[in-house]
Amino acid sequence: MYREFLTPDDEEVYEAIGEWPDSDENGTRVLTLEDTYGQSIAFSYDALARSVRIRWVNDQGIEMLDSFREGATRLSVTSEQSTKHISIDFHTGECAGTMVIQVAPHFSVHDRLLFQ
């Protein structure tokens, strides 16, 4: 069964995260973030393909994480007093889960995809 991938508009992303998403040649939204230690995260999402990708590169240019996943159903961005998060819900038929990317004050990624 097809499920729509609900995403916030660019203004909501900017208000929560502090950066405007760009668009690549395919229309995929790309959010590039850098922390105070020189690490960077490139987070991209494609609402039509229901896919997301996160690439995390450390301060020496070494790739720490490259994760691509399809079956996204909801993307949300939140900003609290000292933290900022990107959360993505997934549903792929037999499996469901959530990936939470903390982008401030430091980077972290928590990912769960479980059988239903």
Side-chain angles (χ1 to χ4, degrees):
M1 172 168 73
Y2 178 79
R3 293 176 187 235
E4 184 178 8
F5 181 18
L6 304 173
T7 61
D9 62 32
D10 289 352
E11 188 172 325
E12 289 177 78
V13 173
Y14 177 76
E15 287 175 6
I17 304 298
E19 296 290 334
W20 289 98
D22 289 324
S23 186
D24 72 7
E25 65 277 356
N26 298 319
T28 300
R29 308 304 292 152
V30 180
L31 189 60
T32 304
L33 306 162
E34 192 168 311
D35 72 2
T36 58
Y37 305 105
Q39 300 184 97
S40 65
I41 282 183
F43 174 72
S44 58
Y45 54 100
D46 185 335
L48 293 177
R50 297 180 52 214
S51 64
V52 299
R53 182 178 186 190
I54 177 172
R55 294 187 68 225
W56 180 354
V57 176
N58 73 9
D59 60 334
Q60 298 171 354
I62 298 169
E63 188 170 80
M64 303 300 290
L65 174 70
D66 186 353
S67 178
F68 176 81
R69 176 146 333 135
E70 295 178 323
T73 57
R74 188 173 68 89
L75 173 79
S76 60
V77 289
T78 57
S79 179
E80 297 173 8
Q81 192 167 2
S82 62
T83 61
K84 298 176 183 180
H85 294 92
I86 300 169
S87 298
I88 311 99
D89 294 331
F90 297 90
H91 191 279
T92 59
E94 293 181 357
C95 297
T98 302
M99 179 186 292
V100 178
I101 305 163
Q102 179 175 302
V103 297
H106 60 272
F107 294 154
S108 70
V109 178
H110 298 272
D111 187 21
R112 291 188 190 131
L113 188 64
L114 305 169
F115 289 115
Q116 294 194 86

